[in-house]
Amino acid sequence: MGDTANLLASVFLDTISYWWVIIPTIFLGLIVGGIPGFSAANTIIILMPLTLSMDLQTGLIFMVSLYSAARMGAGIPAILVNIPGTAGAAATPLDGYPMTRQGRGQQALAITFVSSSLGGLLTTVVALATMPILARVGFYMHSVEMIVVMLFGISLIASIAAQDMLKGLIAGFFGLMIGSIGTDVVYATPRGTMGFLELYDGVPLIPALVGLFAVSEAFIIIEKKVILTDEGQAAMANPSWSATFEGVSIALKRWVHIVWTSLIGLIIGVIPGAGASIASFVAYQQSRTFSKTPELYGTGHPEGLIAPESANNGVTSGTLVPLLVLGIPGGATAAIMLVVMQFHGVSFGPSLFERQPEVGYGMFMAMMVSYLLMILTILPLSRYMSRVTTVPTIYLAPMIISFTLVGAFVPREYMFDMFLALAFGVLGYIARRTGYHVAAILIGVILGPLLETYFLRALKKSQGDMSILFSSNIGNVLWVLLVLSLVLPPILKLKRKRRDRRLATLSGDYQ
Amino acid sequence: MVIPVLAIVFTLYFFSTILNSPWTAQVSAFSLGSLLLLFCVIFVAKTVYQLRRGDGTLSFGNIVSRDDLASGRVGLFLATLGFTLLIDYLGFTLTTFLFLLVSMTILARGRGFMRITLVSALMALGGWAVFILAFDTRFPRGWFETTMKAVLANG
């Protein structure tokens, strides 16, 4: 025990000495994370020659720092201009952007930075401490269990639909249908592709994200001189450091919320194939379900911002567990890390921590140091970042369109994807103008194909027998939790209403 | 009504593409699509009922109106379409510069042209420096990128 602690301390101190790599990488990560299409995975691929030329430790620290910073960076444009940098930040603008419009962008950024950093730090420590147990989670999560996890995320549509049930459900199911475009996973039969070969792999996520959020937002914001409301402009007239401290204080007061939502992210991150988008939707939905003030979600509620941000940073440390212990990458970035590590002759498995502890523990320590340095370097910048919201929309809207449309081109390098983003932009604009929630459409587009894949896998295994959905113990526990999370909130709401009414009657009698 | 109508048309088209497919291609789409059609039918019925009671009207007023022409939204959309069509031929830098210049001028109704030109040029050049020069991404290349590559290669 003492030896391990000494080893961890020495690896930690050794990692800190690489601050000269970590700090510039943090800024690079924040930039690439903030531009849709430029994920950490893409950037590591682009910079692969540079990464391979570094020694193993420097290369790993570089990749891990970039990964963590990109995750945090994706939330910045989501909060400031309603454009998530990656699908993992798609739930962030639900409450982050309303805060910005109210002139609380600086607080929102501070809340995001604190909850992301604390979520990332905490889950890194938990991942280190419980690695052998966590590594087994992937073995127990089969297609049936994954179906229920997906449904947890999709049930967020129901929350969004709460404001206008029918419109919310139409938007969500329309998204699920759009997500079904492409060939089916078993026989590769093309469906709904309109003859476009580019859609055979399904609807690419970044063009959908860019269109639904960025392009449609650009067409909406030109109605006003700046994106802020009148009250927001008044609040932004005299910026001060106190708004940042207020944001930090709001986040720290909700530390319990940070803890449990980041743990949701960690567990989902450990499951290969699941990702930050699922984690953030599930965390947002659960946070709303168990909140005492669910009606405030979507109006600029700090807890609605903390939940997705803590969760998607929890995923970051979670993905390292199956990578290091089993050699199974949990996502695209982890897969690229695997390639780089194999290039340097690293072999994976539990023995990695005995043979090359500086690599095994070093990756977690790099993540920890990155989050620590991130909070120190980025928090002071929130005051200046929030000034973006005061840029006149005549400049902002064209910049958003040009850079995000090109971002839609980047992942697959098809010109088709830019046209697709524009088509999604038109759809998003119509949806916004007629009272449909674009986030509900996006949830469907993201989670629809995943749900179908797991559903078909389960049915193939059971040869079409639907009872397989209730055949596993873990799955059944998850089903019960899902039903409870859907049924409990209205019951609690009813109880609360009755209690309030009773209290009002009692106080009336007393008077 | 636009979104429900789009959803109905798309779902029916989707169904038509899977009629003769194996069950694995149909099961999820038919179940999701049927529910979507059901929601849309309820929505349409609700809207027709409201129309009959005189509680609503059918128009495209909240999507496209004369104000959109005045506010520059239509112009911005056309400029965006032009940007998407031209970028493959003119390359990232030149198209971005032209798009920013045209769309900002439309939105500013011709005011501050010098400032807009400067901002457009700086943004386009900044994008070129970061994405093409530094990161060597495969953004669409055109005359400007080819020329600059030759210039930089020859010192």
Side-chain angles (χ1 to χ4, degrees), chain A residues 109-155:
Chain A
L109 285 175
I111 290 170
T112 298
F113 298 152
V114 172
S115 48
S116 297
S117 301
L118 289 184
L121 272 173
L122 172 86
T123 49
T124 309
V125 175
V126 174
L128 259 175
T130 58
M131 211 159 8
I133 303 164
L134 279 177
R136 270 186 240 146
V137 171
F139 288 122
Y140 296 117
M141 299 299 283
H142 303 296
S143 39
V144 172
E145 290 80 9
M146 286 308 293
I147 289 171
V148 197
V149 172
M150 297 295 149
L151 288 175
F152 266 107
I154 288 174
S155 64

Short mmCIF file of all heavy atoms in Angstrom, two decimals, chain A residues 109-155:
data_model
loop_
_atom_site.label_atom_id
_atom_site.label_comp_id
_atom_site.label_asym_id
_atom_site.label_seq_id
_atom_site.Cartn_x
_atom_site.Cartn_y
_atom_site.Cartn_z
N LEU A 109 -19.76 30.18 -17.21
CA LEU A 109 -18.44 29.64 -17.57
C LEU A 109 -17.71 29.16 -16.31
O LEU A 109 -17.11 28.07 -16.31
CB LEU A 109 -17.61 30.69 -18.29
CG LEU A 109 -18.00 30.99 -19.75
CD1 LEU A 109 -17.16 32.14 -20.30
CD2 LEU A 109 -17.81 29.76 -20.64
N ALA A 110 -17.76 29.98 -15.26
CA ALA A 110 -17.07 29.59 -14.02
C ALA A 110 -17.67 28.30 -13.47
O ALA A 110 -16.93 27.39 -13.03
CB ALA A 110 -17.18 30.71 -12.99
N ILE A 111 -18.99 28.18 -13.51
CA ILE A 111 -19.66 26.95 -13.03
C ILE A 111 -19.17 25.76 -13.85
O ILE A 111 -18.84 24.70 -13.31
CB ILE A 111 -21.20 27.09 -13.14
CG1 ILE A 111 -21.72 28.11 -12.13
CG2 ILE A 111 -21.90 25.74 -12.94
CD1 ILE A 111 -23.18 28.49 -12.32
N THR A 112 -19.12 25.95 -15.17
CA THR A 112 -18.67 24.86 -16.05
C THR A 112 -17.24 24.46 -15.74
O THR A 112 -16.93 23.27 -15.64
CB THR A 112 -18.75 25.33 -17.52
OG1 THR A 112 -20.09 25.62 -17.79
CG2 THR A 112 -18.26 24.28 -18.47
N PHE A 113 -16.36 25.45 -15.60
CA PHE A 113 -14.94 25.14 -15.37
C PHE A 113 -14.76 24.40 -14.05
O PHE A 113 -14.01 23.42 -13.97
CB PHE A 113 -14.09 26.41 -15.40
CG PHE A 113 -14.12 27.13 -16.72
CD1 PHE A 113 -13.94 28.50 -16.80
CD2 PHE A 113 -14.33 26.42 -17.89
CE1 PHE A 113 -13.97 29.15 -18.03
CE2 PHE A 113 -14.37 27.06 -19.13
CZ PHE A 113 -14.19 28.43 -19.19
N VAL A 114 -15.47 24.88 -13.02
CA VAL A 114 -15.32 24.23 -11.70
C VAL A 114 -15.91 22.83 -11.72
O VAL A 114 -15.27 21.86 -11.29
CB VAL A 114 -15.98 25.09 -10.59
CG1 VAL A 114 -16.00 24.34 -9.27
CG2 VAL A 114 -15.24 26.40 -10.43
N SER A 115 -17.13 22.70 -12.27
CA SER A 115 -17.76 21.37 -12.24
C SER A 115 -17.04 20.39 -13.15
O SER A 115 -16.92 19.20 -12.81
CB SER A 115 -19.25 21.43 -12.55
OG SER A 115 -19.49 22.18 -13.68
N SER A 116 -16.54 20.87 -14.29
CA SER A 116 -15.78 19.98 -15.19
C SER A 116 -14.49 19.53 -14.51
O SER A 116 -14.15 18.34 -14.52
CB SER A 116 -15.41 20.70 -16.48
OG SER A 116 -16.55 21.05 -17.17
N SER A 117 -13.76 20.48 -13.93
CA SER A 117 -12.48 20.14 -13.31
C SER A 117 -12.67 19.23 -12.11
O SER A 117 -11.97 18.22 -11.97
CB SER A 117 -11.74 21.40 -12.85
OG SER A 117 -11.52 22.23 -13.94
N LEU A 118 -13.63 19.59 -11.24
CA LEU A 118 -13.84 18.75 -10.05
C LEU A 118 -14.36 17.38 -10.45
O LEU A 118 -13.93 16.36 -9.90
CB LEU A 118 -14.83 19.43 -9.09
CG LEU A 118 -14.31 20.65 -8.34
CD1 LEU A 118 -15.35 21.15 -7.35
CD2 LEU A 118 -13.01 20.35 -7.60
N GLY A 119 -15.27 17.36 -11.43
CA GLY A 119 -15.79 16.08 -11.93
C GLY A 119 -14.67 15.23 -12.49
O GLY A 119 -14.57 14.04 -12.19
N GLY A 120 -13.80 15.86 -13.29
CA GLY A 120 -12.67 15.14 -13.89
C GLY A 120 -11.71 14.65 -12.83
O GLY A 120 -11.27 13.49 -12.86
N LEU A 121 -11.39 15.51 -11.86
CA LEU A 121 -10.44 15.14 -10.80
C LEU A 121 -10.98 13.99 -9.95
O LEU A 121 -10.29 13.00 -9.70
CB LEU A 121 -10.21 16.34 -9.88
CG LEU A 121 -9.10 17.31 -10.27
CD1 LEU A 121 -9.12 18.52 -9.36
CD2 LEU A 121 -7.74 16.61 -10.16
N LEU A 122 -12.22 14.16 -9.52
CA LEU A 122 -12.83 13.16 -8.64
C LEU A 122 -12.90 11.80 -9.33
O LEU A 122 -12.53 10.77 -8.74
CB LEU A 122 -14.25 13.61 -8.26
CG LEU A 122 -15.05 12.57 -7.51
CD1 LEU A 122 -14.76 12.65 -6.04
CD2 LEU A 122 -16.52 12.72 -7.76
N THR A 123 -13.36 11.80 -10.59
CA THR A 123 -13.51 10.51 -11.26
C THR A 123 -12.15 9.88 -11.56
O THR A 123 -12.04 8.66 -11.60
CB THR A 123 -14.32 10.65 -12.56
OG1 THR A 123 -13.79 11.74 -13.32
CG2 THR A 123 -15.78 10.88 -12.29
N THR A 124 -11.13 10.71 -11.73
CA THR A 124 -9.79 10.15 -11.94
C THR A 124 -9.35 9.41 -10.67
O THR A 124 -8.81 8.30 -10.74
CB THR A 124 -8.78 11.26 -12.28
OG1 THR A 124 -9.32 12.04 -13.34
CG2 THR A 124 -7.45 10.70 -12.72
N VAL A 125 -9.58 10.03 -9.51
CA VAL A 125 -9.21 9.40 -8.24
C VAL A 125 -10.00 8.11 -8.05
O VAL A 125 -9.44 7.06 -7.71
CB VAL A 125 -9.45 10.38 -7.06
CG1 VAL A 125 -9.20 9.69 -5.73
CG2 VAL A 125 -8.57 11.61 -7.20
N VAL A 126 -11.32 8.19 -8.31
CA VAL A 126 -12.17 7.00 -8.12
C VAL A 126 -11.74 5.90 -9.10
O VAL A 126 -11.67 4.72 -8.73
CB VAL A 126 -13.67 7.37 -8.33
CG1 VAL A 126 -14.55 6.13 -8.28
CG2 VAL A 126 -14.12 8.35 -7.28
N ALA A 127 -11.44 6.30 -10.34
CA ALA A 127 -11.02 5.30 -11.35
C ALA A 127 -9.74 4.61 -10.91
O ALA A 127 -9.60 3.38 -11.03
CB ALA A 127 -10.84 5.97 -12.70
N LEU A 128 -8.82 5.38 -10.36
CA LEU A 128 -7.55 4.81 -9.89
C LEU A 128 -7.78 3.82 -8.75
O LEU A 128 -7.19 2.74 -8.71
CB LEU A 128 -6.64 5.93 -9.37
CG LEU A 128 -5.53 6.43 -10.29
CD1 LEU A 128 -4.84 7.61 -9.65
CD2 LEU A 128 -4.53 5.32 -10.58
N ALA A 129 -8.68 4.22 -7.83
CA ALA A 129 -8.90 3.40 -6.65
C ALA A 129 -9.69 2.14 -6.95
O ALA A 129 -9.54 1.13 -6.26
CB ALA A 129 -9.62 4.23 -5.58
N THR A 130 -10.56 2.20 -7.94
CA THR A 130 -11.48 1.06 -8.16
C THR A 130 -11.28 0.42 -9.54
O THR A 130 -12.20 -0.22 -10.06
CB THR A 130 -12.94 1.52 -8.03
OG1 THR A 130 -13.15 2.56 -9.00
CG2 THR A 130 -13.29 2.03 -6.67
N MET A 131 -10.09 0.59 -10.08
CA MET A 131 -9.84 0.13 -11.45
C MET A 131 -10.21 -1.35 -11.69
O MET A 131 -10.87 -1.66 -12.67
CB MET A 131 -8.38 0.37 -11.81
CG MET A 131 -8.25 0.64 -13.27
SD MET A 131 -6.77 1.49 -13.73
CE MET A 131 -5.76 1.59 -12.34
N PRO A 132 -9.81 -2.27 -10.80
CA PRO A 132 -10.14 -3.68 -11.08
C PRO A 132 -11.65 -3.92 -11.16
O PRO A 132 -12.10 -4.71 -11.97
CB PRO A 132 -9.54 -4.43 -9.88
CG PRO A 132 -8.57 -3.49 -9.26
CD PRO A 132 -9.06 -2.12 -9.55
N ILE A 133 -12.41 -3.22 -10.31
CA ILE A 133 -13.87 -3.42 -10.33
C ILE A 133 -14.46 -2.76 -11.58
O ILE A 133 -15.26 -3.36 -12.29
CB ILE A 133 -14.51 -2.79 -9.06
CG1 ILE A 133 -13.88 -3.40 -7.80
CG2 ILE A 133 -16.02 -2.97 -9.05
CD1 ILE A 133 -14.13 -2.61 -6.55
N LEU A 134 -14.03 -1.51 -11.83
CA LEU A 134 -14.58 -0.78 -12.97
C LEU A 134 -14.33 -1.50 -14.29
O LEU A 134 -15.16 -1.48 -15.19
CB LEU A 134 -13.98 0.63 -13.04
CG LEU A 134 -14.58 1.68 -12.11
CD1 LEU A 134 -13.82 2.98 -12.26
CD2 LEU A 134 -16.05 1.91 -12.41
N ALA A 135 -13.13 -2.11 -14.38
CA ALA A 135 -12.77 -2.78 -15.64
C ALA A 135 -13.76 -3.89 -15.96
O ALA A 135 -13.94 -4.25 -17.12
CB ALA A 135 -11.36 -3.33 -15.55
N ARG A 136 -14.41 -4.44 -14.92
CA ARG A 136 -15.35 -5.55 -15.14
C ARG A 136 -16.72 -5.06 -15.60
O ARG A 136 -17.52 -5.84 -16.12
CB ARG A 136 -15.51 -6.36 -13.85
CG ARG A 136 -14.48 -7.48 -13.78
CD ARG A 136 -14.74 -8.36 -12.59
NE ARG A 136 -13.58 -8.35 -11.71
CZ ARG A 136 -13.63 -8.43 -10.40
NH1 ARG A 136 -14.78 -8.51 -9.79
NH2 ARG A 136 -12.53 -8.43 -9.69
N VAL A 137 -17.00 -3.76 -15.37
CA VAL A 137 -18.32 -3.23 -15.74
C VAL A 137 -18.64 -3.52 -17.20
O VAL A 137 -19.74 -3.95 -17.55
CB VAL A 137 -18.39 -1.70 -15.45
CG1 VAL A 137 -19.66 -1.09 -16.04
CG2 VAL A 137 -18.34 -1.45 -13.96
N GLY A 138 -17.65 -3.33 -18.07
CA GLY A 138 -17.84 -3.55 -19.50
C GLY A 138 -18.30 -4.96 -19.82
O GLY A 138 -19.07 -5.18 -20.74
N PHE A 139 -17.83 -5.95 -18.99
CA PHE A 139 -18.21 -7.33 -19.23
C PHE A 139 -19.69 -7.60 -18.92
O PHE A 139 -20.30 -8.49 -19.46
CB PHE A 139 -17.35 -8.28 -18.39
CG PHE A 139 -15.94 -8.38 -18.88
CD1 PHE A 139 -14.87 -8.06 -18.06
CD2 PHE A 139 -15.67 -8.78 -20.19
CE1 PHE A 139 -13.56 -8.15 -18.51
CE2 PHE A 139 -14.37 -8.87 -20.65
CZ PHE A 139 -13.32 -8.55 -19.82
N TYR A 140 -20.20 -6.83 -17.94
CA TYR A 140 -21.58 -7.06 -17.53
C TYR A 140 -22.59 -6.27 -18.35
O TYR A 140 -23.79 -6.51 -18.26
CB TYR A 140 -21.76 -6.71 -16.04
CG TYR A 140 -20.96 -7.60 -15.12
CD1 TYR A 140 -19.95 -7.09 -14.33
CD2 TYR A 140 -21.22 -8.97 -15.07
CE1 TYR A 140 -19.20 -7.91 -13.50
CE2 TYR A 140 -20.48 -9.80 -14.25
CZ TYR A 140 -19.47 -9.26 -13.47
OH TYR A 140 -18.73 -10.08 -12.65
N MET A 141 -22.09 -5.29 -19.11
CA MET A 141 -23.02 -4.45 -19.87
C MET A 141 -23.16 -5.00 -21.28
O MET A 141 -22.37 -4.69 -22.16
CB MET A 141 -22.52 -3.00 -19.90
CG MET A 141 -22.40 -2.36 -18.55
SD MET A 141 -23.97 -2.27 -17.64
CE MET A 141 -24.73 -0.90 -18.48
N HIS A 142 -24.17 -5.83 -21.49
CA HIS A 142 -24.42 -6.38 -22.82
C HIS A 142 -25.48 -5.54 -23.52
O HIS A 142 -25.92 -4.52 -23.00
CB HIS A 142 -24.86 -7.85 -22.69
CG HIS A 142 -23.85 -8.68 -21.95
ND1 HIS A 142 -22.59 -8.91 -22.45
CD2 HIS A 142 -23.90 -9.30 -20.75
CE1 HIS A 142 -21.91 -9.65 -21.58
NE2 HIS A 142 -22.69 -9.89 -20.54
N SER A 143 -25.93 -6.04 -24.68
CA SER A 143 -26.86 -5.24 -25.46
C SER A 143 -28.14 -4.90 -24.69
O SER A 143 -28.64 -3.78 -24.79
CB SER A 143 -27.19 -5.95 -26.77
OG SER A 143 -27.32 -7.32 -26.57
N VAL A 144 -28.64 -5.85 -23.89
CA VAL A 144 -29.89 -5.59 -23.17
C VAL A 144 -29.71 -4.43 -22.18
O VAL A 144 -30.52 -3.49 -22.13
CB VAL A 144 -30.35 -6.87 -22.40
CG1 VAL A 144 -31.53 -6.55 -21.50
CG2 VAL A 144 -30.72 -7.95 -23.39
N GLU A 145 -28.62 -4.49 -21.42
CA GLU A 145 -28.37 -3.43 -20.43
C GLU A 145 -28.16 -2.09 -21.14
O GLU A 145 -28.62 -1.05 -20.68
CB GLU A 145 -27.14 -3.76 -19.58
CG GLU A 145 -27.32 -4.91 -18.61
CD GLU A 145 -27.17 -6.27 -19.28
OE1 GLU A 145 -26.77 -6.31 -20.45
OE2 GLU A 145 -27.48 -7.29 -18.63
N MET A 146 -27.47 -2.15 -22.29
CA MET A 146 -27.20 -0.91 -23.02
C MET A 146 -28.49 -0.29 -23.56
O MET A 146 -28.60 0.93 -23.65
CB MET A 146 -26.21 -1.17 -24.17
CG MET A 146 -24.78 -1.39 -23.71
SD MET A 146 -24.16 -0.09 -22.62
CE MET A 146 -24.10 1.30 -23.72
N ILE A 147 -29.45 -1.14 -23.92
CA ILE A 147 -30.74 -0.61 -24.40
C ILE A 147 -31.36 0.26 -23.30
O ILE A 147 -31.83 1.37 -23.57
CB ILE A 147 -31.71 -1.77 -24.76
CG1 ILE A 147 -31.23 -2.45 -26.05
CG2 ILE A 147 -33.14 -1.27 -24.94
CD1 ILE A 147 -31.97 -3.73 -26.38
N VAL A 148 -31.31 -0.23 -22.07
CA VAL A 148 -31.91 0.54 -20.97
C VAL A 148 -31.12 1.83 -20.72
O VAL A 148 -31.72 2.88 -20.47
CB VAL A 148 -32.01 -0.30 -19.67
CG1 VAL A 148 -32.99 0.36 -18.70
CG2 VAL A 148 -32.45 -1.71 -19.95
N VAL A 149 -29.77 1.74 -20.81
CA VAL A 149 -28.96 2.96 -20.63
C VAL A 149 -29.35 3.99 -21.69
O VAL A 149 -29.52 5.18 -21.39
CB VAL A 149 -27.44 2.63 -20.70
CG1 VAL A 149 -26.62 3.91 -20.70
CG2 VAL A 149 -27.03 1.75 -19.54
N MET A 150 -29.51 3.54 -22.94
CA MET A 150 -29.92 4.45 -24.02
C MET A 150 -31.28 5.08 -23.71
O MET A 150 -31.50 6.25 -23.93
CB MET A 150 -30.05 3.71 -25.36
CG MET A 150 -28.79 3.11 -25.87
SD MET A 150 -27.61 4.36 -26.26
CE MET A 150 -26.13 3.47 -25.91
N LEU A 151 -32.19 4.21 -23.20
CA LEU A 151 -33.54 4.73 -22.90
C LEU A 151 -33.51 5.78 -21.80
O LEU A 151 -34.31 6.71 -21.80
CB LEU A 151 -34.48 3.58 -22.53
CG LEU A 151 -34.88 2.69 -23.71
CD1 LEU A 151 -35.70 1.50 -23.23
CD2 LEU A 151 -35.65 3.46 -24.76
N PHE A 152 -32.55 5.65 -20.87
CA PHE A 152 -32.37 6.69 -19.83
C PHE A 152 -32.09 8.02 -20.52
O PHE A 152 -32.63 9.05 -20.16
CB PHE A 152 -31.19 6.34 -18.92
CG PHE A 152 -31.59 5.60 -17.67
CD1 PHE A 152 -31.32 4.26 -17.52
CD2 PHE A 152 -32.22 6.27 -16.65
CE1 PHE A 152 -31.67 3.57 -16.37
CE2 PHE A 152 -32.59 5.60 -15.49
CZ PHE A 152 -32.31 4.24 -15.36
N GLY A 153 -31.19 7.98 -21.53
CA GLY A 153 -30.84 9.21 -22.26
C GLY A 153 -32.01 9.72 -23.06
O GLY A 153 -32.33 10.92 -23.04
N ILE A 154 -32.69 8.80 -23.75
CA ILE A 154 -33.80 9.21 -24.61
C ILE A 154 -34.96 9.77 -23.79
O ILE A 154 -35.71 10.63 -24.27
CB ILE A 154 -34.25 8.02 -25.50
CG1 ILE A 154 -33.16 7.78 -26.58
CG2 ILE A 154 -35.58 8.28 -26.19
CD1 ILE A 154 -33.36 6.56 -27.43
N SER A 155 -35.08 9.31 -22.54
CA SER A 155 -36.19 9.81 -21.72
C SER A 155 -36.07 11.31 -21.45
O SER A 155 -37.02 11.94 -21.00
CB SER A 155 -36.29 9.05 -20.41
OG SER A 155 -35.13 9.26 -19.65
#
